[in-house]
Structure formats: structure tokens, C-alpha cells
Amino acid sequence: MNLPAAASKPVTLLQLSDSHLSEDPQARYRGQPADANLATLRPAIQELKPDLIVLSGDVSEDASPASYWRMGGFVRDLAPQIAWIPGNHDEREVMAGVFDELGFEAGPVVEAGGWQVMLLDSAWSDRPDGEMNDERLAPIDRLDGSAPALVFVHHQPLLVGSPWIDKYPLVEPHRLWDRLAGKPVKAVAFGHVHQVFEGEHDGIACLSAPSTAANGVREAPRFTPSEQGPSARWFRLWPNGRWETGLLVC
Ligand SMILES: [Fe+2]
Ligand SMILES: [Fe+2]
């Protein structure tokens, strides 16, 4: 029996990460015009027509309400559903103050085309690395075993081989991996590393989204600008658990 077309149609998710906007729209981040670089992605996002956009942290460089309002204004007409997690440069309360008003979702679980999109918080505003305590890991236990899941977390839950950013990973990542064991998680997607990374841990794909503002060379001992311009990661998610991913560039 053929399923109706609608039942087999994928949803398109776009992960935007590490935009590092400041209160001043002209401010530069690592020498790059953060607002202008984000804006270069608009035509490609309009062409992609995402059903859901996930902002995976470091939306702001200075946690100013103005920076969150500008991001909100940028994405609100680009997808019908927007979700977010904070990064180490963000302040969760300030973000929530703006994004709640715009109807953006903080999860911890957002449903999208038969998938469970899980939004986990690894960030602390007073430290650059990430950590998840029991309270932050607890939502994982709520995952429904019968539907595929995609997990978002800001910090890298494995080393990406990049000295300048592997100084600030998710610490004690085994706590996350232990909790995910046996769950229907296809991939863990993160930001924070400002470069493209695609790896795997215990059969779960581990994928970064590059920054929309500034990206760095992997092997360098300290941040060194790379050729990777403003970019993002997209996912297509089919209800039967099939999925694919790729990069969105301007
Ligand atoms: Fe960042
Ligand atoms: Fe970060």
C-alpha cells in the first residue's frame, strides 16, 4: 500500500549557529561584520524554505536584548517555527525575554514531521566550556522510543581535533553519551566550534554547524580565519527515520 504523499514528505530544518551579534549592528566579531555576514545567507535560506530553524547558541556576542531582537527580526519570516538553545556568550534569561515574546520555542522537545527535536542546554554564562548536570540531562529520559530524534547542544560532545576550540568542549561528555544509550537518536548537532565537523560516536552522527559570522582553521593552535564564509547546516528528516544533511552557503 502506498502511503499518502504528505506522510512521506520530509521536513527541512536549518541550524543557524554562532552569529555573535552585538548591541551595535556595526560591531565586528573576529574582524568580521557579524550582522552583514548573517544577512548574506538570507537568499539561500529563502530558497531552502525551512520548516524549522534551530538557533544553536552564541546568537549574541554580548547578550544584549538588541542583538536578540535583531536575530528575531531576521529569522521570524524565514520559517514557520523557530527554536533555540543558548551558547556560552548568551544569557538564557535575556534570550528568553525576547524569544518568548516572539513565540520561539525552547523545548526541551519540539515535534517536527514525526521527529523529536531535542534542545539541550550545555552553556553557563561565566565559563567558555560546557557542562550538563543531571537536571539538564533529564529531558533525554522523555524521548519516545518509537520516533527518531535529533539532539541539539551548543558545545562539542567529542573532540573535533582543533586545539583552539577543543580547550572548551562539553566536559564529561560520557554523561551525555551514557544517557543517550538506547535512545532513538540519529545525530547530535552542535555549534561552538566555528568550523565544519562530521564524525560519529557509538553509531550516532556528530555534526557541527559552521558559524554565520566567522570560521577558523581546524589545525591551528589559536583562532585563524578559514576560507569557510558565512554558512549553516540543513537537515531533511523523513517520518520513517531517514535523514540527510548538508551545508548552506551564501
Ligand atoms: Fe561561538
Ligand atoms: Fe560557543
Side-chain angles (χ1 to χ4, degrees):
M1 188 180 88
N2 286 332
L3 287 168
S8 57
K9 199 171 162 266
V11 296
T12 300
L13 183 157
L14 178 67
Q15 181 188 1
L16 286 179
S17 207
D18 295 86
S19 299
H20 289 270
L21 306 184
S22 292
E23 181 167 16
D24 174 3
Q26 307 301 323
R28 297 180 90 83
Y29 169 75
R30 294 196 188 274
Q32 292 291 319
D35 277 71
N37 280 7
L38 175 65
T40 62
L41 292 171
R42 176 173 282 276
I45 300 172
Q46 285 171 324
E47 198 173 322
L48 183 74
K49 294 188 177 60
D51 300 290
L52 169 63
I53 292 177
V54 176
L55 305 172
S56 61
D58 289 355
V59 167
S60 179
E61 170 67 2
D62 59 10
S64 57
S67 63
Y68 296 125
W69 280 113
R70 290 210 309 289
M71 175 58 88
F74 177 78
V75 291
R76 64 187 305 181
D77 67 336
L78 290 172
Q81 198 177 11
I82 318 277
W84 60 276
I85 51 173
N88 48 298
H89 286 267
D90 295 309
E91 289 283 353
R92 189 176 183 104
E93 282 69 37
V94 183
M95 264 178 126
V98 175
F99 289 169
D100 285 356
E101 208 165 312
L102 290 167
F104 297 179
E105 297 177 60
V109 184
V110 170
E111 198 279 332
W115 281 64
Q116 305 171 86
V117 175
M118 171 145 278
L119 306 163
L120 296 178
D121 188 353
S122 61
W124 306 85
S125 52
D126 57 350
R127 53 188 277 199
D129 58 354
E131 186 169 358
M132 299 177 76
N133 56 24
D134 233 36
E135 188 186 342
R136 290 178 172 203
L137 290 163
I140 294 169
D141 300 341
R142 289 163 50 182
L143 284 173
D144 174 355
S146 66
L150 172 59
V151 170
F152 286 90
V153 64
H154 180 67
H155 292 84
Q156 70 272 40
L158 75 178
L159 298 181
V160 298
S162 188
W164 56 272
I165 197 66
D166 277 342
K167 284 189 285 198
Y168 307 122
L170 177 69
V171 302
E172 300 188 342
H174 61 89
R175 301 186 68 199
L176 172 65
W177 294 119
D178 289 351
R179 203 88 169 217
L180 291 177
K183 300 292 182 190
V185 174
K186 305 287 187 184
V188 174
F190 50 94
H192 187 61
V193 298
H194 290 246
Q195 60 192 278
V196 177
F197 176 84
E198 301 194 338
E200 177 269 328
H201 181 96
D202 284 351
I204 298 175
C206 300
L207 306 162
S208 76
S211 167
T212 69
N215 290 295
V217 175
R218 174 164 302 157
E219 297 78 11
R222 56 186 59 84
F223 181 85
T224 306
S226 73
E227 300 284 300
Q228 183 82 40
S231 33
R233 176 175 291 283
W234 58 260
F235 294 86
R236 284 216 177 79
L237 309 173
W238 279 264
N240 65 1
R242 185 186 151 208
W243 64 284
E244 58 185 35
T245 185
L247 296 179
L248 180 123
V249 294
C250 57

